[in-house]
Amino acid sequence: MSSVSAKKNISTQTIRRLPQYLRVFYDLHEYGRSLVSSTDLAAETHILPIVIKKDLQSIGAPTKLRSGFKVKGTIEAIEDFLGWDNLNKAFLIGAGHLGAALLGFSGFKNHGLEIVAAFDTNPERVGQEINGVAVYHTAQLKTIIKSKKLKIAVLTIPGAAAQGITDTLVECGVKAIWNFAPVKLSVPPSVAVQQEDIASGLAELCAKLKSKSS
Amino acid sequence: MSSVSAKKNISTQTIRRLPQYLRVFYDLHEYGRSLVSSTDLAAETHILPIVIKKDLQSIGAPTKLRSGFKVKGTIEAIEDFLGWDNLNKAFLIGAGHLGAALLGFSGFKNHGLEIVAAFDTNPERVGQEINGVAVYHTAQLKTIIKSKKLKIAVLTIPGAAAQGITDTLVECGVKAIWNFAPVKLSVPPSVAVQQEDIASGLAELCAKLKSKSS
DNA sequence: TAGATTGTTAATCGATTAACAATC
DNA sequence: TAGATTGTTAATCGATTAACAATC
């Protein structure tokens, strides 16, 4: 509990928008812009300027002179807030289609995440390398997690196996689980879980489609 | 505008939870349950019973006797609400890692979606078949969309190409776009867009992780 | 009946949007 | 200065949660 991060309840929605801001700020920085106003950002992102102002304000993005946010400082503020200022080592369980897609997503390096190992039970996959990441047998899970002191897991396995594996992960001291299996995981309160459900987005799309074609 | 669907503003969050309910109800139906109470559902899903009651109520799920929701009828209500009662034919653009993962996700057939064609510009992929879906060259996009009368697109291409392709899709009469590229798309109001940003979930996880390890 | 449940209205909470003063 | 901007407080909107009557 550092006195610096006197965190004043930053909303989930704000947090979800931060990566988008970060991408825009990276671009701006590359183009040499040092300041940018919330109205300019609004034009770029299609988000209302007040929302942007509030969001960036809430994480303490630096903003001098009435000429907008400091580009470099805001990048640092977002990265710092999310802990993306240094790479978090993570591992992935389930090297199927989705797992391989995530392993191939080089963008994670801009997002604070470096996947350093993958696990699978399928003999065809074990021993392979996917995008430079070695695939180990799940039997080696405990040993490797502990020796490499990995704390972040990405779960891309079928729902039926998810809770069992999760229990093992918790035993091994894993602190965060990014779960793509469509199953609510039970974990002790000290472990962070982020649940992704691809079908939620599809449901939203279908509802929009229906209302448009009324 | 059928008088049946006198839709009374169903919240986005409710819509996003529907697929989860649907999965549970499929299971219940398979196990032969014909009725289920919101308290039982709450135990299964870790969602508060009042939330479940409200959600299902809002889409008109049938619920007789003070003994809960009718399993079969609720499945039909959810499927009907989302338009998942008959399969929507869709196509995918960008047969890279993520595209292949989505093509391999057989679960879509339970979710009202059938991907019938894929497009890519990479000569190594064109002409291939991924999970039984043919990969065509993007040059053939217009012809095939129009001849098959496809209305739903799944975009798994790099951000830089997304808006250009989108313009073509709109020209061809596409009505819904599920966009996995990290770019806000500009479309006419008659077209539904669902934006997915994988980084949002990661940001949420990192924020949770930080607050737990304070 | 007693008890568990839905149905429905009200209260709370949180996030977005508006308004406007302060600034350089 | 004039004008665009941040800073900050208030108002609105929407979603969640609580409360309790009605039901079989």
Side-chain angles (χ1 to χ4, degrees):
Chain A
M1 40 177 175
S2 67
S3 60
V4 176
S5 64
K7 57 180 69 94
K8 32 168 178 178
N9 249 28
I10 287 152
S11 92
T12 306
Q13 296 311 314
T14 296
I15 291 167
R16 292 185 64 87
R17 284 187 290 264
L18 291 179
Q20 193 186 348
Y21 298 139
L22 191 54
R23 284 190 293 263
V24 175
F25 275 86
Y26 281 147
D27 280 352
L28 290 166
H29 189 241
E30 205 147 294
Y31 288 140
R33 287 279 292 273
S34 64
L35 287 168
V36 64
S37 72
S38 51
T39 40
D40 282 359
L41 288 168
E44 187 69 28
T45 59
H46 304 171
I47 298 176
L48 292 177
I50 332 163
V51 174
I52 297 173
K53 217 201 298 183
K54 271 280 175 70
D55 283 347
L56 295 179
Q57 221 164 243
S58 72
I59 60 157
T63 155
K64 263 246 241 57
L65 321 157
R66 87 267 118 246
S67 20
F69 293 89
K70 294 182 185 174
V71 172
K72 204 174 165 217
T74 301
I75 289 175
E76 285 164 3
I78 297 175
E79 287 182 339
D80 175 71
F81 176 81
L82 294 171
W84 290 2
D85 40 359
N86 42 25
L87 283 182
N88 294 299
K89 286 188 182 177
F91 62 100
L92 181 143
I93 308 180
H97 285 294
L98 180 58
L102 292 175
L103 287 173
F105 182 43
S106 57
F108 283 146
K109 277 176 194 153
N110 277 333
H111 295 72
L113 203 71
E114 187 188 10
I115 300 178
V116 299
F119 298 89
D120 206 299
T121 51
N122 186 333
E124 283 181 24
R125 291 182 197 140
V126 173
Q128 301 267 324
E129 253 195 20
I130 303 180
N131 277 275
V133 179
V135 180
Y136 302 96
H137 194 280
T138 309
Q140 295 181 270
L141 193 56
K142 285 191 187 188
T143 322
I144 294 176
I145 294 177
K146 284 181 179 167
S147 74
K148 297 200 178 187
K149 292 180 183 163
L150 301 175
K151 300 293 177 198
I152 302 179
V154 183
L155 273 197
T156 49
I157 56 178
Q163 185 62 57
I165 290 279
T166 297
D167 295 341
T168 307
L169 295 178
V170 170
E171 263 182 57
C172 294
V174 162
K175 287 295 166 208
I177 300 174
W178 196 12
N179 178 32
F180 289 83
V183 172
K184 276 270 162 77
L185 301 176
S186 294
V187 295
S190 62
V191 176
V193 172
Q194 174 64 21
Q195 179 68 41
E196 302 290 341
D197 188 348
I198 189 81
S200 288
L202 181 56
E204 262 195 81
L205 182 66
C206 292
K208 285 178 195 166
L209 181 60
K210 252 193 119 191
S211 73
K212 301 250 176 188
S213 64
S214 64
Chain B
M1 38 179 178
S2 67
S3 61
V4 175
S5 64
K7 55 179 72 92
K8 34 172 177 176
N9 248 27
I10 288 152
S11 92
T12 304
Q13 296 310 312
T14 296
I15 291 168
R16 293 183 64 88
R17 284 186 291 263
L18 291 179
Q20 194 185 347
Y21 298 139
L22 190 55
R23 283 190 295 264
V24 176
F25 275 86
Y26 281 147
D27 280 353
L28 290 166
H29 189 242
E30 205 147 296
Y31 287 142
R33 286 279 293 275
S34 63
L35 287 168
V36 64
S37 71
S38 51
T39 39
D40 283 359
L41 288 167
E44 187 69 28
T45 59
H46 304 169
I47 297 177
L48 293 177
I50 332 164
V51 174
I52 297 172
K53 216 200 301 182
K54 273 282 175 68
D55 282 348
L56 295 179
Q57 220 165 244
S58 72
I59 59 155
T63 156
K64 262 245 240 56
L65 321 156
R66 85 267 120 249
S67 21
F69 292 89
K70 294 181 183 174
V71 173
K72 205 174 164 220
T74 302
I75 289 175
E76 285 162 5
I78 298 175
E79 286 182 338
D80 175 71
F81 177 82
L82 295 171
W84 290 1
D85 40 359
N86 42 26
L87 283 181
N88 295 299
K89 288 189 179 175
F91 61 99
L92 182 143
I93 308 180
H97 285 293
L98 180 57
L102 292 175
L103 288 173
F105 182 43
S106 57
F108 283 145
K109 276 176 196 154
N110 276 334
H111 295 71
L113 204 72
E114 186 189 10
I115 299 178
V116 298
F119 297 89
D120 207 297
T121 51
N122 186 333
E124 283 180 24
R125 292 181 196 141
V126 173
Q128 300 266 325
E129 252 195 22
I130 303 180
N131 277 275
V133 178
V135 180
Y136 302 97
H137 194 280
T138 309
Q140 295 181 267
L141 193 56
K142 285 191 187 188
T143 319
I144 293 177
I145 294 179
K146 284 183 181 168
S147 74
K148 299 202 179 189
K149 292 179 183 165
L150 301 175
K151 300 293 177 197
I152 303 178
V154 183
L155 273 196
T156 49
I157 55 179
Q163 185 60 58
I165 290 279
T166 296
D167 295 341
T168 306
L169 296 177
V170 170
E171 261 181 60
C172 295
V174 163
K175 286 296 166 205
I177 300 174
W178 197 11
N179 179 32
F180 290 83
V183 171
K184 277 269 163 76
L185 299 178
S186 294
V187 294
S190 62
V191 176
V193 173
Q194 174 65 22
Q195 179 68 41
E196 302 289 342
D197 189 348
I198 189 80
S200 290
L202 181 57
E204 263 196 80
L205 182 67
C206 292
K208 284 177 196 166
L209 181 61
K210 253 193 120 190
S211 73
K212 302 251 177 190
S213 63
S214 65

